[in-house]
């Protein structure tokens, strides 16, 4: 039988596609050549076809190891509808149901069997595999196998060892959407995948536009949902409490929304998930437990109301938007307090100190993403090892039309202060010294006697901390590892201190509006009119500074209007 024709025929007849997506055919060919292979493909890139299609071409059973119970059921239901005999065995089944499925597998009635990693160590399961011919072993969400992966699972760590003990040695396909070069190397070593058998299709999602929003979260969220009320979207929050708060906010404003977190019963979660899948509600507010196995293709936006702990998690969750290939948005709503929440999660974990330090470093990189002015897509791709990625021309940074301002002198002041403080302290204390604070810690270290003390006293500590975050994101400052990173000046920063390199930054420059400016006067007249209607002093409506900024920036929509200081 012609394998090429068989592949194409199966792809069309069973999966409904006329051609393979990037990387799929190369992975399948490696499997059919009985070689182990690692496939790294973005969320929505068609990873499941890479083992489902060869499962139909090979004699025997394809065993799929997956940590996602909800995904198992979804995929098995989908395969059965396509006429492909598949089943799963996990903790949701009774003993009687499990035994029945064991019998089906033993009698050769099943082509694909999905199991959780814990199942592999079961004596009964290992006995079953002694008598059932295995044609393929698929390890889904393979980043879970590496202790450097963002979703490391201890139960997954033993998967490699257990596989090595199998009498049968079928080819192994490992699949993930989010593997840094370090994680990919770790997966290959653990699963015995040859160096040349790593197939990476690139992490870019050309239909996704990324944004970072730093203005008033609730006001922005309500306005965004009002403008996109016909579209399906997911709003992620880091805690159950915040999920509940946002859910109540949306329902109070008559937005049809659902919620999903571990504090709800299984029945409630299933009901809300189904309502979202079948478009009975357009928005679901959820913790990161939601969406791991959701195959809803028409999600137009994913909003993170709180910053996740690392870029891998963020990109995987953001990637649930636009799986149908149509233009979609991934929005991060940044708040400085989000870092503290993620630091708490890291410190509360039972992992060893090395792992926790690794997670703190990832959190710093996530924080830098929120402050960089590089193309956001390119920043993410660089994180995953794609150093030569180009700008996307559609993220909020690429479309940022603010003026480029030379901030070399301000940068030199910051870097000089870090140097004079011995490069042993974090951004908060650096900001306090520069703004001239005389709090106890500043005096304790005698930093009030430094020539840089009060050098930037016309800045607020918040704005100065934002500048320090920007300089860190751009590589002028280097943070140490750990929960409380100290700052040191990088080689790039030294060049700025020596006057050999300049630094620029996009920022709002509000020009002085002259008293007879026509637009400013029109706005003042309108303000007076509104104030008289409401029997309120004009400054309560808007300050003169706000009116000046409105006249300068001339926002064209409500979301742009929210960027102006004093607008709520």
């Amino acid at each position: 039988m012609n394998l090429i024709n068989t592949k194409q025929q199966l792809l069309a007849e069973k999966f409904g596609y006329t051609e393979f997506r990037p990387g799929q055919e190369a992975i399948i060919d490696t499997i059919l050549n009985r070689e182990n292979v690692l496939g790294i493909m973005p969320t929505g890139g068609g990873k499941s076809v890479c083992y489902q299609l060869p499962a139909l071409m090979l004699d025997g059973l394809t065993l799929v190891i997956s940590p996602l119970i909800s995904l198992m059921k979804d995929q098995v239901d989908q395969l059965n509808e396509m006429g492909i005999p598949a089943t799963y065995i996990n903790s949701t089944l009774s003993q009687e149901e499990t035994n029945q499925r064991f019998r089906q597998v033993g009698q050769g009635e099943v082509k694909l069997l999905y199991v959780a990693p814990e199942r592999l160590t079961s004596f009964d399961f290992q006995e079953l595999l002694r008598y059932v011919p295995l044609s393929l072993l698929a390890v889904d969400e393979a980043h879970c196998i590496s202790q450097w992966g963002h979703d490391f699972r201890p139960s997954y760590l033993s998967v490699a060892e257990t596989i090595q003990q199998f009498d049968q040695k079928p080819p192994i396909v490992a699949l993930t959407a989010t593997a840094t070069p370090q994680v990919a190397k770790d997966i290959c070593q653990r699963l015995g995948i040859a160096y040349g058998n790593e197939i990476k299709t690139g992490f870019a999602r050309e239909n996704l536009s990324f944004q970072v929003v730093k203005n008033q979260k609730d006001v922005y969220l309500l306005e965004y949902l009002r403008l996109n009320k016909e579209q399906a979207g997911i709003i992620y929050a880091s805690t159950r409490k915040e999920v509940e708060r946002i859910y109540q906010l949306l329902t109070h404003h008559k937005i049809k929304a659902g919620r999903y977190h571990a504090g709800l019963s299984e029945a409630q979660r299933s009901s809300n998930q189904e309502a979202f899948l079948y478009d009975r509600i357009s928005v679901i507010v959820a913790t990161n437990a939601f969406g791991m196995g959701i195959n809803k293709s028409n999600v137009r936006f994913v909003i993170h109301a709180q910053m996740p702990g690392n870029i891998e998690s963020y990109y995987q969750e953001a990637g649930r938007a636009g799986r149908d290939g149509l233009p979609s948005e991934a929005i991060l709503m940044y708040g400085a307090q989000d870092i503290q929440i993620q630091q708490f999660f890291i410190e509360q974990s039972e992992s060893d100190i090395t792992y926790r330090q690794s997670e703190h470093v990832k959190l710093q990189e996530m924080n830098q993403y929120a402050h960089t002015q590089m193309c956001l897509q390119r920043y993410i791709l660089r994180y995953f090892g794609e150093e030569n990625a180009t700008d996307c021309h559609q993220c909020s940074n690429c479309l940022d039309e603010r003026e480029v301002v030379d901030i070399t002198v301000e940068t030199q002041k910051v870097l000089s202060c870090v140097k004079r403080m011995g490069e042993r302290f974090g951004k908060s204390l650096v900001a306090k010294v520069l703004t001239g604070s005389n709090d106890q810690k500043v005096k304790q270290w005698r930093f009030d006697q430094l020539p840089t003390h009060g050098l930037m006293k016309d800045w607020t500590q918040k704005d100065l901390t934002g500048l320090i975050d920007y300089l860190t994101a751009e590589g002028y400052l280097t943070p140490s590892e750990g929960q409380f990173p100290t700052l040191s000046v990088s080689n790039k920063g030294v060049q700025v201190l020596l006057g050999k390199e300049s630094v620029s930054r996009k920022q709002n420059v509000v020009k002085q509006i002259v008293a007879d400016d026509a637009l400013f006067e029109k706005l003042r007249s309108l303000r007076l009119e509104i104030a008289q209607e409401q029997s309120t002093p004009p400054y309560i409506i808007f300050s003169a500074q706000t009116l000046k900024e409105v006249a300068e920036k001339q926002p064209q929509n409500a979301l742009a209007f929210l960027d102006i200081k004093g607008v709520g």
Side-chain angles (χ1 to χ4, degrees), residues 75-352:
Q75 291 210 348
V76 166
D77 288 347
Q78 195 175 25
L79 288 167
N80 288 334
E81 283 177 18
M82 291 156 59
I84 300 170
T87 192
Y88 63 88
I89 296 174
N90 61 35
S91 57
T92 66
L93 303 177
S94 67
Q95 189 58 51
E96 187 178 339
E97 289 172 316
T98 300
N99 292 339
Q100 169 63 20
R101 296 185 185 197
F102 271 166
R103 283 193 290 273
Q104 290 176 321
V105 172
Q107 291 166 5
E109 297 172 7
V110 173
K111 286 297 293 179
L112 289 106
L113 173 63
Y114 287 76
V115 298
E118 295 84 357
R119 182 68 53 177
L120 293 182
T121 56
S122 154
F123 176 78
D124 290 345
F125 189 74
Q126 291 193 359
E127 280 298 299
L128 174 72
L129 294 184
R130 287 166 63 93
Y131 302 103
V132 175
L134 273 182
S135 59
L136 177 62
L137 188 60
V139 181
D140 206 3
E141 307 296 336
H143 56 270
C144 297
I145 216 167
S146 169
Q147 64 175 320
W148 310 114
H150 72 280
D151 196 18
F152 167 61
R153 313 267 177 115
S155 60
Y156 243 54
L157 194 58
S158 62
V159 166
E161 297 170 11
T162 308
I163 289 171
Q164 303 303 329
Q165 295 167 9
F166 285 177
D167 293 335
Q168 302 181 66
K169 303 295 179 188
I172 298 170
V173 55
L175 296 159
T176 179
T178 49
T180 61
Q182 181 187 30
V183 171
K185 183 179 178 182
D186 202 18
I187 294 169
C188 288
Q189 286 177 342
R190 291 181 185 279
L191 294 177
I193 297 170
Y195 172 73
N197 283 5
E198 179 185 318
I199 295 170
K200 187 161 64 173
T201 62
F203 289 93
R205 288 283 305 279
E206 293 177 0
N207 64 315
L208 278 190
S209 65
F210 291 85
Q211 295 180 45
V212 174
V213 173
K214 295 179 182 175
N215 51 20
Q216 306 163 66
K217 288 187 178 184
D218 287 358
V219 182
Y220 180 92
L221 189 59
L222 291 171
E223 183 61 24
Y224 183 90
L225 295 178
R226 186 186 70 78
L227 292 172
N228 295 277
K229 59 186 176 183
E230 302 301 322
Q231 307 295 348
I234 304 171
I235 301 169
Y236 281 112
S238 300
T239 64
R240 297 181 200 175
K241 183 179 178 182
E242 184 65 3
V243 167
E244 287 290 342
R245 191 193 70 78
I246 294 172
Y247 171 73
Q248 296 299 336
L249 174 74
L250 301 190
T251 52
H252 175 73
H253 284 85
K254 308 290 190 294
I255 295 169
K256 293 172 76 174
R259 56 192 164 149
Y260 191 104
H261 59 71
L264 301 174
S265 68
E266 179 63 39
Q268 286 174 307
R269 290 199 301 272
S270 296
S271 174
N272 292 340
Q273 179 173 315
E274 189 176 282
F276 181 65
L277 286 174
Y278 290 96
D279 293 329
R280 293 195 289 272
I281 56 174
S282 57
V283 177
I284 192 150
V285 189
T287 58
N288 62 4
F290 178 80
M292 295 296 282
I294 303 305
N295 192 23
K296 184 176 171 68
S297 63
N298 66 330
V299 174
R300 290 279 71 84
F301 61 87
V302 169
I303 297 174
H304 281 80
Q306 292 175 300
M307 187 176 71
N310 51 68
I311 290 175
E312 294 103 311
S313 295
Y314 177 67
Y315 200 48
Q316 187 173 54
E317 289 159 14
R320 293 186 184 121
R323 292 176 68 136
D324 54 8
L326 297 178
S328 304
E329 293 186 310
I331 301 169
L332 173 64
M333 300 174 69
Y334 176 82
Q337 67 276 16
D338 297 344
I339 301 171
Q340 295 164 359
I341 293 170
Q342 294 300 334
Q343 286 176 335
F344 175 79
F345 288 158
I346 294 168
E347 288 306 306
Q348 290 300 303
S349 73
E350 296 177 0
S351 306
D352 61 31

